[in-house]
Structures are given as structure tokens and as C-alpha cells.
Amino acid sequence: DVKVTQSSRYLVKRTGEKVFLECVQDMDHENMFWYRQDPGLGLRLIYFSYDVKMKEKGDIPEGYSVSREKKERFSLILESASTNQTSMYLCASSLEGTQETQYFGPGTRLLVL
Amino acid sequence: AQTVTQSQPEMSVQEAETVTLSCTYDTSESDYYLFWYKQPPSRQMILVIRQEAYKQQNATENRFSVNFQKAAKSFSLKISDSQLGDAAMYFCAYRSGPDYKLSFGAGTTVTVRA
């Protein structure tokens, strides 16, 4: 079974703090994704990566950056957290190729005060 | 950008009964994929069913089946013989053939009554 893990289930941060969300997958997937989930809006793609050190912006990249130094790990960085970044963050991974199914992690619920 | 619309924020079904969740999408492409994902209260999102647009036959996975109406751009999910474990939020998602990106609807929360 594919396993996608996220470093924290719940996180509370202060406005202006730098926040790191970590995602690790154990199935040697090439593609990794970061989404945020908000009520009434579904999931929206922030960034994705199709290879180590490669990244592409999704629909809502403003205020976020990402890092992929190793194939199994994809980090989402909030350079200066703001209250409007309070949300559920979901990581996903998939094999190479656009036909492949995405597998999701359990999510990190981030509260920015 | 593609738009995926789920018009039912909440649905309730009696155990053992059938419930149908609606989804419509907007696209001008001919090559695309459609998905239903389930997110139980524990929050781990899992794939329920997928449909390739070029396939005319509706996908089926055990008690889950879809009604894919390509001309109407409609992709509904039917859950038959509903079980308590089916209670979750269900998301409809679209992906263009050559693209990695999934576009999600707002979700439908399904409650199963014992």
C-alpha cells in the first residue's frame, strides 16, 4: 500500500512565523502535490513537483514556496504565516505520468493566530 | 481553468438504501479523467472510482458506480446498499489528459442513518 505521511496533524503558529510542512511518501513516486482544503472551496493546488528539485505553481501559490531535495520528501513553506493561511493542508503523490492516481496524506490542520 | 460543481453540500441516506451524488464539470477538451474521492472523518482521502472520458462504459467498483453523461458534462456517483462506513465527504475531481493537476468540486457530505 502507498503510504503518504505528513509531519503534523495539527499545528498552531503565530502571524509572521516561518512554517514548514513536511510530506514523505514511501512508494518511489515521481510526482508530489500540495493542496489546501477550505470549506465550500474543495481542494486547491498550491504547488506540485514532478522530479527532485523541479516544481511548478498551481492555482494559489502566493505566499507559499516548496522544496524537494529528495524524491520521497516534499516540503511546503510559509515564509511569513498570515491568518488567511489557516487551513487544512493535504499532500499527495503519484507515479510518473498524467494517468496515474494521486494518493493523499492525512492532512495538517494549520491555525495561524 | 476547469470548473467542477457539486450542487449538494449535504446528503443523508438510510442504511442499506441508495444515494446519488451529482457532479457537473466544464471543459472544452476531449481527453480527460474524472474521479470521485472519499474523505472520511479521519481525513485520509482515498480514491473511490475513476472514469476515462474516452470510455463509454460507466465505471463500477463494488457498491459504487457512476453515471457518466459526456454530452451533458455530468458525472454522478451512486452508492448502493449504503453502509455506516460510507459516511464521509465526497469530492468530484477532473483532470485534463496531458495535465497533472486535479480540479476539485466543493464536496458533498454524506450522512448514513442507522
Side-chain angles (χ1 to χ4, degrees):
Chain A
D1 279 351
V2 175
K3 191 166 185 183
V4 182
T5 58
Q6 295 183 229
S7 51
S8 304
R9 291 300 301 271
Y10 301 94
L11 212 51
V12 180
K13 295 292 181 181
R14 297 267 177 207
T15 301
E17 278 192 79
K18 190 168 186 175
V19 181
F20 291 87
L21 302 183
E22 302 283 335
C23 175
V24 177
Q25 49 92 6
D26 66 356
M27 287 300 292
D28 203 33
H29 284 175
E30 287 79 13
N31 301 327
M32 297 188 76
F33 307 81
W34 275 107
Y35 295 88
R36 66 176 280 176
Q37 180 181 358
D38 300 288
L41 297 177
L43 279 73
R44 293 176 292 166
L45 182 65
I46 305 171
Y47 268 98
F48 74 96
S49 169
Y50 51 91
D51 201 352
V52 175
K53 297 190 186 294
M54 305 303 290
K55 61 185 179 184
E56 285 200 21
K57 294 180 180 179
D59 294 322
I60 51 165
E62 296 78 19
Y64 304 95
S65 62
V66 290
S67 173
R68 192 162 180 206
E69 296 297 318
K70 293 184 177 181
K71 189 175 185 179
E72 67 271 18
R73 188 179 298 268
F74 191 34
S75 302
L76 180 69
I77 303 153
L78 287 65
E79 295 289 342
S80 178
S82 62
T83 55
N84 64 13
Q85 292 178 311
T86 291
S87 186
M88 169 70 81
Y89 290 88
L90 294 173
C91 176
S93 72
S94 71
L95 286 167
E96 183 180 17
T98 57
Q99 297 186 27
E100 298 301 325
T101 297
Q102 291 185 25
Y103 296 88
F104 285 82
T108 296
R109 183 166 292 286
L110 173 66
L111 173 62
V112 182
L113 301 174
Chain B
Q2 282 72 33
T3 302
V4 179
T5 302
Q6 294 179 248
S7 58
Q8 306 151 314
E10 297 179 355
M11 294 287 283
S12 180
V13 61
Q14 189 72 36
E15 199 174 5
E17 298 293 311
T18 295
V19 64
T20 300
L21 311 183
S22 67
C23 173
T24 58
Y25 57 96
D26 183 28
T27 186
S28 57
E29 303 191 12
S30 58
D31 178 23
Y32 56 88
Y33 302 83
L34 296 163
F35 306 83
W36 279 99
Y37 278 89
K38 170 185 178 182
Q39 188 179 45
S42 66
R43 295 290 186 177
Q44 192 101 26
M45 187 96 73
I46 57 173
L47 179 68
V48 175
I49 201 164
R50 64 180 268 169
Q51 174 84 40
E52 291 84 356
Y54 63 85
K55 289 187 177 178
Q56 294 195 349
Q57 186 172 6
N58 289 325
T60 299
E61 286 289 341
N62 301 314
R63 298 181 295 105
F64 297 87
S65 62
V66 297
N67 183 4
F68 174 44
Q69 300 289 326
K70 192 171 183 178
K73 297 179 183 174
S74 170
F75 183 62
S76 61
L77 175 71
K78 184 170 80 172
I79 307 173
S80 304
D81 185 25
S82 296
Q83 300 175 1
L84 295 177
D86 295 333
M89 181 167 279
Y90 288 81
F91 290 96
C92 178
Y94 165 100
R95 187 174 73 209
S96 170
D99 199 357
Y100 293 108
K101 191 181 81 170
L102 281 172
S103 296
F104 285 84
T108 298
T109 299
V110 172
T111 303
V112 181
R113 306 186 304 275

